[in-house]
Amino acid sequence: MAKNSAMTLISFRSMILDCYKKLGLNENELVVILMVDHLLEQGNTLITGDALSLKMKLSASEIDSILANLMSRNLVTYEETGFGLITSIENVRAQAYEELKKSIHMEEEDGAKDAFNTRKSKHISFFEEKYGRGLSPLECGMIGEWINAGFKDDEITDALLDCLRSNSKSIKAVDRALRNKRREEDIIKEGVSSVDDIYDDDIDKTIELAKRLWNVDEDK
């Protein structure tokens, strides 16, 4: 189910209970808003402090003070229509909905980060097992770049194993294999490819420097 469709199925009461602190509401203000929502659902259009006091333990004066505060923050409004004055909490509905969207977006981002880190850790462990040594930060970073570039897990694994069969324990050889495969696929599909034909010399030099810094003995 699409996220927007899922959000429409979540009640306002669930949303406001989850995010009222983020909206700067205290518990009395929350209860007043919930009671206003309840009375509006019952068909009432103008909700006053007196009407709310019939349903609540707070006094009418306390409720009036709360309503005045909510009105000053534009969370509860009283609007003139052709049918008279009506009470609206649409602004607080909108704010609660925005907070829900932010929450879902953050959860999606966290989920994507977790998935990325899990994939990256899995590949690092596999490379270290096959190379018989730890990877340098640069080599770990290159694995992350492959994932970000859209290479599938089996493509990365196959490229490594192909290089090992050619007696090459080189991260740059794996990178070259992946780039070559991507370029060939692009040419078959589009006739051209944006992937460079020649391996980037700067990457070569950087890896050589990293090998010296990390004392990596890499079979070429």
Coordinates of all heavy atoms in Angstrom, one line a residue, residues 114-165:
D114 N 20.1 1.6 7.4 CA 20.4 0.2 8.0 C 20.6 -0.8 6.9 O 21.5 -1.6 7.0 CB 19.2 -0.2 8.8 CG 19.1 0.6 10.1 OD1 20.0 1.3 10.5 OD2 18.0 0.6 10.8
A115 N 19.8 -0.7 5.8 CA 20.0 -1.7 4.7 C 21.3 -1.5 4.0 O 22.0 -2.5 3.7 CB 18.8 -1.5 3.7
F116 N 21.7 -0.2 3.8 CA 23.0 0.1 3.2 C 24.1 -0.5 4.1 O 25.0 -1.2 3.6 CB 23.1 1.6 3.0 CG 24.5 2.0 2.6 CD1 24.8 2.0 1.2 CD2 25.5 2.4 3.5 CE1 26.1 2.4 0.8 CE2 26.7 2.8 3.1 CZ 27.1 2.8 1.7
N117 N 24.1 -0.2 5.4 CA 25.2 -0.6 6.3 C 25.3 -2.1 6.4 O 26.4 -2.7 6.5 CB 25.0 0.0 7.7 CG 25.2 1.5 7.7 OD1 26.0 2.0 6.9 ND2 24.5 2.2 8.6
T118 N 24.1 -2.8 6.4 CA 24.1 -4.2 6.4 C 24.7 -4.8 5.2 O 25.5 -5.8 5.3 CB 22.6 -4.8 6.5 OG1 22.1 -4.3 7.8 CG2 22.6 -6.3 6.5
R119 N 24.3 -4.3 4.0 CA 24.9 -4.8 2.8 C 26.4 -4.5 2.7 O 27.2 -5.4 2.3 CB 24.3 -4.1 1.6 CG 22.8 -4.5 1.3 CD 22.3 -3.8 0.1 NE 23.0 -4.2 -1.1 CZ 22.9 -3.5 -2.3 NH1 22.2 -2.4 -2.3 NH2 23.6 -3.9 -3.3
K120 N 26.8 -3.3 3.1 CA 28.2 -3.0 3.1 C 29.0 -3.9 4.0 O 30.1 -4.4 3.6 CB 28.4 -1.5 3.5 CG 29.8 -1.0 3.4 CD 29.9 0.5 3.7 CE 31.3 1.0 3.7 NZ 31.4 2.4 4.0
S121 N 28.5 -4.1 5.2 CA 29.3 -4.9 6.2 C 29.4 -6.4 5.7 O 30.4 -7.0 5.8 CB 28.5 -4.9 7.5 OG 28.5 -3.6 8.1
K122 N 28.3 -6.8 5.0 CA 28.3 -8.2 4.5 C 29.4 -8.3 3.4 O 30.2 -9.3 3.4 CB 27.0 -8.5 3.9 CG 26.9 -9.8 3.1 CD 25.5 -9.9 2.5 CE 25.5 -11.1 1.5 NZ 24.2 -11.2 0.8
H123 N 29.5 -7.3 2.5 CA 30.5 -7.4 1.5 C 31.9 -7.2 2.0 O 32.9 -7.9 1.6 CB 30.3 -6.3 0.4 CG 29.1 -6.6 -0.5 ND1 29.1 -7.7 -1.3 CD2 28.0 -5.9 -0.7 CE1 27.9 -7.7 -2.0 NE2 27.3 -6.7 -1.6
I124 N 32.1 -6.3 3.0 CA 33.4 -6.1 3.6 C 33.9 -7.5 4.2 O 35.1 -7.9 4.0 CB 33.4 -5.0 4.7 CG1 33.2 -3.7 4.0 CG2 34.7 -5.0 5.5 CD1 33.0 -2.5 4.9
S125 N 33.0 -8.1 5.0 CA 33.4 -9.4 5.6 C 33.8 -10.4 4.5 O 34.8 -11.2 4.7 CB 32.2 -9.9 6.4 OG 31.9 -9.1 7.5
F126 N 33.0 -10.5 3.4 CA 33.3 -11.4 2.4 C 34.7 -11.1 1.7 O 35.5 -12.1 1.5 CB 32.2 -11.4 1.4 CG 32.3 -12.5 0.3 CD1 32.1 -13.8 0.7 CD2 32.5 -12.2 -1.0 CE1 32.2 -14.9 -0.2 CE2 32.6 -13.3 -1.9 CZ 32.4 -14.6 -1.5
F127 N 34.9 -9.9 1.4 CA 36.2 -9.5 0.8 C 37.3 -9.8 1.7 O 38.4 -10.3 1.3 CB 36.2 -8.0 0.5 CG 35.7 -7.7 -0.9 CD1 34.3 -7.8 -1.2 CD2 36.5 -7.2 -1.9 CE1 33.8 -7.5 -2.5 CE2 36.0 -6.9 -3.2 CZ 34.7 -7.0 -3.5
E128 N 37.2 -9.5 3.0 CA 38.3 -9.8 4.0 C 38.5 -11.3 4.1 O 39.7 -11.7 4.2 CB 37.9 -9.2 5.3 CG 38.0 -7.6 5.3 CD 37.6 -7.0 6.6 OE1 37.0 -7.7 7.5 OE2 38.1 -5.8 6.9
E129 N 37.5 -12.0 4.0 CA 37.6 -13.5 4.1 C 38.4 -14.0 2.9 O 39.3 -14.8 3.0 CB 36.3 -14.2 4.1 CG 36.3 -15.7 4.1 CD 34.9 -16.3 3.9 OE1 33.9 -15.6 4.2 OE2 34.9 -17.4 3.5
K130 N 38.0 -13.5 1.7 CA 38.7 -14.0 0.5 C 40.1 -13.4 0.3 O 41.0 -14.1 -0.2 CB 37.9 -13.6 -0.7 CG 36.5 -14.2 -0.8 CD 36.6 -15.7 -0.9 CE 35.3 -16.4 -0.9 NZ 35.4 -17.9 -0.9
Y131 N 40.3 -12.2 0.8 CA 41.7 -11.6 0.7 C 42.6 -12.1 1.8 O 43.8 -12.0 1.7 CB 41.6 -10.1 0.7 CG 41.1 -9.4 -0.5 CD1 40.8 -8.1 -0.6 CD2 40.9 -10.2 -1.7 CE1 40.4 -7.5 -1.8 CE2 40.5 -9.6 -2.9 CZ 40.2 -8.2 -2.9 OH 39.8 -7.7 -4.1
G132 N 42.0 -12.5 2.9 CA 42.8 -13.0 4.1 C 43.4 -11.8 4.8 O 44.5 -12.0 5.4
R133 N 42.8 -10.7 4.8 CA 43.3 -9.5 5.4 C 42.2 -8.5 5.6 O 41.1 -8.6 5.1 CB 44.4 -8.8 4.6 CG 43.9 -8.3 3.2 CD 45.0 -7.5 2.5 NE 44.6 -7.1 1.2 CZ 43.8 -6.0 0.9 NH1 43.3 -5.3 1.9 NH2 43.5 -5.7 -0.3
G134 N 42.4 -7.5 6.5 CA 41.4 -6.4 6.7 C 41.5 -5.4 5.5 O 42.5 -5.3 4.9
L135 N 40.4 -4.8 5.2 CA 40.3 -3.8 4.2 C 40.7 -2.4 4.8 O 40.3 -2.1 5.9 CB 38.9 -3.7 3.5 CG 38.4 -5.0 2.8 CD1 37.1 -4.7 2.1 CD2 39.5 -5.5 1.8
S136 N 41.3 -1.6 4.0 CA 41.6 -0.2 4.4 C 40.3 0.6 4.3 O 39.3 0.2 3.6 CB 42.6 0.4 3.4 OG 42.0 0.7 2.1
P137 N 40.2 1.8 5.0 CA 39.0 2.6 4.9 C 38.7 3.0 3.4 O 37.5 3.0 3.1 CB 39.4 3.9 5.7 CG 40.4 3.4 6.7 CD 41.2 2.3 5.9
L138 N 39.7 3.2 2.6 CA 39.4 3.5 1.2 C 38.7 2.4 0.5 O 37.8 2.6 -0.3 CB 40.7 3.9 0.5 CG 40.6 4.2 -1.0 CD1 39.7 5.5 -1.2 CD2 41.9 4.4 -1.7
E139 N 39.2 1.2 0.7 CA 38.6 0.0 0.1 C 37.2 -0.2 0.6 O 36.3 -0.5 -0.2 CB 39.5 -1.3 0.4 CG 40.8 -1.2 -0.3 CD 41.7 -2.4 0.2 OE1 41.8 -2.6 1.4 OE2 42.4 -3.0 -0.7
C140 N 36.9 0.0 1.9 CA 35.6 -0.1 2.4 C 34.7 1.0 1.7 O 33.5 0.7 1.4 CB 35.6 0.1 3.9 SG 36.4 -1.3 4.8
G141 N 35.3 2.2 1.6 CA 34.5 3.2 0.9 C 34.1 2.9 -0.5 O 33.1 3.3 -1.0
M142 N 35.0 2.2 -1.2 CA 34.7 1.8 -2.6 C 33.6 0.9 -2.7 O 32.7 0.9 -3.6 CB 36.0 1.2 -3.3 CG 37.1 2.3 -3.6 SD 38.4 1.6 -4.6 CE 37.5 1.5 -6.2
I143 N 33.5 0.0 -1.7 CA 32.4 -1.0 -1.7 C 31.1 -0.2 -1.5 O 30.1 -0.5 -2.1 CB 32.6 -2.0 -0.5 CG1 33.8 -3.0 -0.9 CG2 31.3 -2.8 -0.3 CD1 34.1 -4.0 0.2
G144 N 31.1 0.8 -0.6 CA 29.9 1.6 -0.4 C 29.6 2.4 -1.7 O 28.4 2.5 -2.0
E145 N 30.6 2.8 -2.5 CA 30.3 3.5 -3.7 C 29.6 2.6 -4.7 O 28.8 3.0 -5.5 CB 31.6 4.1 -4.3 CG 32.1 5.2 -3.5 CD 33.4 5.7 -4.1 OE1 33.8 5.3 -5.2 OE2 34.1 6.6 -3.4
W146 N 30.0 1.3 -4.7 CA 29.4 0.3 -5.6 C 27.9 0.2 -5.3 O 27.1 0.1 -6.2 CB 30.1 -1.0 -5.5 CG 31.5 -1.0 -6.0 CD1 32.2 -0.1 -6.8 CD2 32.6 -1.9 -5.5 NE1 33.5 -0.5 -6.9 CE2 33.8 -1.6 -6.2 CE3 32.6 -3.0 -4.7 CZ2 35.0 -2.3 -6.0 CZ3 33.8 -3.7 -4.5 CH2 34.9 -3.3 -5.2
I147 N 27.6 0.1 -4.0 CA 26.2 -0.1 -3.6 C 25.4 1.2 -4.0 O 24.3 1.1 -4.5 CB 26.2 -0.3 -2.1 CG1 26.8 -1.6 -1.7 CG2 24.7 -0.3 -1.6 CD1 27.0 -1.9 -0.2
N148 N 26.0 2.4 -3.7 CA 25.3 3.6 -4.1 C 25.1 3.7 -5.6 O 24.2 4.3 -6.1 CB 26.1 4.8 -3.6 CG 25.9 5.0 -2.1 OD1 24.9 4.7 -1.5 ND2 26.9 5.6 -1.4
A149 N 26.1 3.1 -6.4 CA 26.0 3.2 -7.8 C 25.0 2.2 -8.4 O 24.7 2.2 -9.6 CB 27.4 2.9 -8.5
G150 N 24.4 1.4 -7.5 CA 23.3 0.5 -8.0 C 23.7 -0.9 -8.4 O 22.9 -1.7 -8.9
F151 N 25.0 -1.2 -8.1 CA 25.4 -2.6 -8.4 C 24.8 -3.6 -7.4 O 24.7 -3.3 -6.2 CB 27.0 -2.7 -8.2 CG 27.7 -2.1 -9.4 CD1 28.4 -0.9 -9.1 CD2 27.7 -2.6 -10.6 CE1 29.1 -0.3 -10.2 CE2 28.4 -2.0 -11.7 CZ 29.1 -0.8 -11.4
K152 N 24.3 -4.7 -7.9 CA 23.6 -5.7 -7.1 C 24.6 -6.5 -6.3 O 25.8 -6.6 -6.7 CB 22.7 -6.6 -8.0 CG 21.6 -5.9 -8.7 CD 20.9 -6.8 -9.6 CE 19.8 -6.1 -10.4 NZ 19.1 -7.0 -11.3
D153 N 24.1 -7.1 -5.2 CA 25.0 -7.9 -4.4 C 25.7 -9.0 -5.2 O 26.9 -9.2 -5.0 CB 24.3 -8.5 -3.2 CG 23.8 -7.5 -2.2 OD1 24.4 -6.4 -2.2 OD2 22.9 -7.7 -1.4
D154 N 25.0 -9.7 -6.0 CA 25.6 -10.8 -6.8 C 26.6 -10.3 -7.8 O 27.6 -11.0 -8.1 CB 24.5 -11.7 -7.4 CG 23.6 -10.9 -8.4 OD1 23.7 -9.7 -8.4 OD2 22.8 -11.6 -9.1
E155 N 26.4 -9.1 -8.3 CA 27.3 -8.5 -9.3 C 28.7 -8.2 -8.6 O 29.7 -8.5 -9.1 CB 26.8 -7.2 -9.9 CG 25.6 -7.4 -10.8 CD 25.1 -6.1 -11.3 OE1 25.0 -5.1 -10.5 OE2 24.7 -6.0 -12.5
I156 N 28.6 -7.7 -7.4 CA 29.8 -7.4 -6.6 C 30.6 -8.7 -6.3 O 31.8 -8.8 -6.4 CB 29.5 -6.6 -5.3 CG1 28.9 -5.2 -5.7 CG2 30.7 -6.4 -4.5 CD1 28.4 -4.4 -4.6
T157 N 29.8 -9.7 -5.8 CA 30.4 -11.0 -5.4 C 31.0 -11.7 -6.6 O 32.1 -12.2 -6.5 CB 29.3 -11.9 -4.8 OG1 28.8 -11.3 -3.6 CG2 29.9 -13.2 -4.4
D158 N 30.3 -11.7 -7.7 CA 30.8 -12.3 -8.9 C 32.0 -11.7 -9.5 O 33.0 -12.3 -9.9 CB 29.7 -12.3 -10.0 CG 28.5 -13.2 -9.7 OD1 28.7 -14.1 -8.8 OD2 27.5 -13.1 -10.4
A159 N 32.1 -10.3 -9.4 CA 33.2 -9.6 -9.9 C 34.5 -10.0 -9.0 O 35.6 -10.2 -9.5 CB 33.0 -8.1 -9.8
L160 N 34.3 -10.1 -7.7 CA 35.4 -10.5 -6.8 C 35.8 -11.9 -7.1 O 37.0 -12.1 -7.3 CB 34.9 -10.4 -5.4 CG 35.9 -11.0 -4.3 CD1 37.2 -10.3 -4.3 CD2 35.3 -11.0 -2.9
L161 N 34.9 -12.8 -7.3 CA 35.3 -14.2 -7.5 C 36.0 -14.4 -8.9 O 36.9 -15.1 -9.0 CB 34.0 -15.1 -7.4 CG 33.4 -15.2 -6.0 CD1 32.1 -16.0 -6.1 CD2 34.4 -15.7 -5.0
D162 N 35.5 -13.6 -9.9 CA 36.1 -13.6 -11.2 C 37.6 -13.2 -11.1 O 38.5 -13.7 -11.7 CB 35.4 -12.8 -12.2 CG 34.1 -13.4 -12.6 OD1 33.9 -14.6 -12.4 OD2 33.2 -12.7 -13.2
C163 N 37.8 -12.1 -10.3 CA 39.2 -11.6 -10.1 C 40.0 -12.6 -9.4 O 41.2 -12.7 -9.7 CB 39.1 -10.2 -9.4 SG 38.4 -8.9 -10.4
L164 N 39.5 -13.2 -8.4 CA 40.3 -14.2 -7.7 C 40.7 -15.4 -8.6 O 41.8 -15.9 -8.4 CB 39.5 -14.7 -6.5 CG 39.3 -13.7 -5.3 CD1 38.3 -14.3 -4.3 CD2 40.6 -13.3 -4.7
R165 N 39.7 -15.8 -9.5 CA 40.1 -16.9 -10.4 C 41.2 -16.5 -11.3 O 41.9 -17.3 -11.9 CB 38.8 -17.3 -11.2 CG 37.9 -18.2 -10.4 CD 36.8 -18.8 -11.2 NE 35.8 -17.8 -11.6 CZ 34.7 -17.6 -10.8 NH1 34.5 -18.3 -9.7 NH2 33.8 -16.7 -11.2

